[in-house]
Amino acid sequence: MTGAMRRPLVMANWKINMDPDQVQPYLQQVIPEVNKDTGADVAIAAQDLYLTQMVKETAGSRLAIAAENAHWTDDGAYTGETSPKALALVGVSYVLVGHFERRKLFNETDERVNLKTKAALKNGLKPIVDLDEDLSAYAKEDKKTIVLKQLKIALEGITAEEMANVAIAYEPTWAIGSGEAASAEQAEKSAEFIRQSLVNLYDQKVADQTRILYGGSVTTENAADFLSQEDIDGILVGKAALKPESFLKLIDIAQETGSASN
Ligand code: PGA
């Protein structure tokens, strides 16, 4: 299977940016364009506070809503956390799991990433499992070892069937929010390595169907380079997705790159 057979996924990650009064105008600007659908899936990850409103605003549209994190337990005494069951029940579609900022600032471990991935799948949410490359670890382990370890633990106990709803995001830590993206060639090498690892962990079919996203300082200038790589099937975008005009441009680029390779 070629990259062209995997539908590109463009995902904005608002993090904790965006004031309450900016949410609706942003969505209203983006929805009509996304509804024209020319071949890319589009989603926005936002802080929990906005998700219910966003699901309502986007009802009946092709724009999907994502959470930036979720707990691994459906109900219980976990003050301050968000239940994956509740997210699914209010109509959220995707959840980011193990984003670099969660790992670095909130001590998210590979084991917790695994628990959260399983809990998301059990509730019908589609997890985007984030793998990062931490340069500080390079001295001890090479980057392939780090990525492979994260991938293996994150997917432990997840079946080949369940993998149909999982996407992987590859994000070099030094590229996130730094304005210094990886080169498209570097990113493709890592994506290719991740896909080959999926062949080893599962089989060729799972590897062929799984979307692998690149994230880290994606802009309207460099997005086409990433999206035209064989093993890169989407982009996870922070800063460059904060303005609707720029997010729309990224969606256009994904649609053009997708249809050009079909
Ligand atoms: P950035 O963020 O595009 O601002 O680098 C990417 C991310 O955090 O996923």
Side-chain angles (χ1 to χ4, degrees):
M1 186 186 277
T2 68
M5 295 170 83
R6 292 180 292 269
R7 201 172 150 89
L9 172 61
V10 182
M11 184 172 280
N13 177 9
W14 284 358
K15 310 190 180 184
I16 63 165
N17 299 299
M18 216 61 85
D19 292 343
D21 63 354
Q22 294 175 303
V23 174
Q24 194 204 26
Y26 184 114
L27 296 178
Q28 289 316 318
Q29 199 169 334
V30 169
I31 288 169
E33 296 304 314
V34 174
N35 280 348
K36 288 181 191 157
D37 182 33
T38 43
D41 290 337
V42 182
I44 301 176
Q47 53 186 315
D48 292 348
L49 187 60
Y50 299 152
L51 296 178
T52 311
Q53 176 199 352
M54 291 173 77
V55 167
K56 283 195 187 130
E57 299 271 356
T58 55
S61 83
R62 305 189 62 93
L63 180 58
I65 301 304
E68 297 174 10
N69 180 37
H71 197 254
W72 59 84
T73 308
D74 289 355
D75 312 276
Y78 298 97
T79 303
E81 290 289 330
T82 301
S83 153
K85 181 174 89 177
L87 288 172
L89 288 174
V90 301
V92 168
S93 306
Y94 293 93
V95 59
L96 295 177
V97 185
H99 186 276
F100 158 65
E101 285 147 18
R102 301 287 324 159
R103 291 179 188 263
K104 180 164 184 220
L105 305 173
F106 304 100
N107 304 320
E108 193 119 311
T109 61
D110 290 332
E111 288 71 21
R112 288 191 171 185
V113 170
N114 177 246
L115 290 173
K116 290 180 175 197
T117 304
K118 285 185 191 154
L121 287 167
K122 189 187 98 185
N123 284 290
L125 295 168
K126 288 180 261 187
I128 312 291
V129 176
D130 289 20
L131 311 178
D132 70 68
E133 264 173 36
D134 183 357
L135 274 184
S136 62
Y138 276 15
K140 286 179 257 140
E141 302 172 274
D142 70 48
K143 76 177 186 184
K144 282 189 177 172
T145 313
I146 297 165
V147 168
L148 183 58
K149 182 170 161 241
Q150 289 180 4
L151 183 72
K152 265 187 171 161
I153 301 176
L155 300 182
E156 216 169 273
I158 288 160
T159 65
E161 290 68 40
E162 287 173 320
M163 282 301 291
N165 289 317
V166 176
I168 307 291
Y170 160 73
E171 301 199 287
T173 55
W174 46 269
I176 297 176
S178 68
E180 260 186 68
S183 72
E185 293 70 29
Q186 278 174 315
E188 166 60 16
K189 266 201 193 131
S190 296
E192 194 186 357
F193 172 72
I194 292 166
R195 199 172 303 287
Q196 187 53 47
S197 303
L198 290 172
V199 176
N200 301 338
L201 291 172
Y202 292 93
D203 54 30
Q204 191 67 48
K205 182 166 168 254
V206 168
D208 283 345
Q209 85 195 0
T210 304
R211 289 192 285 202
I212 300 175
L213 279 57
Y214 168 79
S217 296
V218 172
T219 63
T220 52
E221 280 77 46
N222 63 24
D225 292 342
F226 291 114
L227 286 162
S228 54
Q229 301 298 317
E230 174 71 24
D231 291 291
I232 298 178
D233 314 306
I235 44 178
L236 179 57
V237 191
K239 213 180 274 172
L242 290 179
K243 295 237 162 29
E245 299 76 17
S246 163
F247 189 46
L248 282 169
K249 183 97 207 313
L250 292 167
I251 296 165
D252 270 356
I253 294 168
Q255 289 169 339
E256 276 163 27
T257 324
S259 50
S261 49
N262 267 324

